[in-house]
């Protein structure tokens, strides 16, 4: 069951990042949102929910492996999702959002790097 949840979690993060970049690019500073912006925002929230639910499941199942690092990854994941929402909200209100965009990229890289390093991560599992 944990392997299926890991695959769901990784897939939801990949789709979440792709949808975030698509939503960010579908909002023009001059013209406003395109016709795809609202459906992309809804899709972003669905996959964010999937990522949080699968992350919670993995977090509670892996508490005996390395609880502190999984806790840090859980908080970084929530921070990344929050930064995605804040970036798109600032873009929607026509405020500068480029710094938030870069923070999303940095937070996502750190979160993914920590997830790969953890005991249930793909790199660690490969070298067992």
């Amino acid at each position: 069951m944990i392997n299926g949840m890991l695959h769901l979690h990784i897939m939801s993060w990949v789709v979440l990042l792709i949808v975030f970049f698509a939503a960010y690019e579908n909002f023009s500073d001059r013209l406003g949102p395109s016709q795809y912006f609202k459906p992309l925002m809804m899709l972003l929230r669905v996959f964010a929910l999937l990522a949080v639910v699968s992350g919670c499941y993995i977090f509670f199942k892996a508490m005996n492996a390395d609880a502190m690092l999984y806790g840090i990854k859980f908080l970084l994941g929530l921070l990344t999702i929050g930064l995605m929402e804040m970036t798109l909200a600032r873009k929607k209100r026509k405020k500068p959002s480029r710094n938030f965009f870069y923070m999303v990229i940095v937070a996502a890289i750190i979160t993914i790097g920590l997830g790969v390093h953890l005991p249930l991560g793909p790199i660690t599992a490969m070298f067992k």
Side-chain angles (χ1 to χ4, degrees), residues 68-84:
M68 185 183 77
L69 282 178
Y70 278 104
I72 291 171
K73 184 190 178 294
F74 186 74
L75 291 176
L76 281 172
L78 289 177
L79 175 74
T80 305
I81 291 171
L83 283 171
M84 286 178 181

Side-chain angles (χ1 to χ4, degrees), residues 7-81:
H7 290 140
L8 174 67
H9 188 68
I10 292 169
M11 185 265 318
S12 64
W13 269 104
V14 168
V15 173
L16 185 68
L17 288 171
I18 291 169
V19 171
F20 169 72
F21 291 128
Y24 189 82
E25 290 301 319
N26 272 291
F27 195 96
S28 172
D29 290 332
R30 267 187 331 114
L31 303 173
S34 73
Q35 64 181 356
Y36 304 112
F37 183 73
K38 194 168 186 174
L40 284 171
M41 283 295 295
M42 287 189 264
L43 198 60
L44 181 83
R45 290 181 179 134
V46 166
F47 280 100
L49 186 64
L50 273 174
V52 169
V53 168
S54 61
C56 283
Y57 181 83
I58 294 167
F59 175 69
F60 289 118
K61 287 293 184 184
M63 284 299 280
N64 57 359
D66 199 350
M68 185 183 77
L69 282 178
Y70 278 104
I72 291 171
K73 184 190 178 294
F74 186 74
L75 291 176
L76 281 172
L78 289 177
L79 175 74
T80 305
I81 291 171

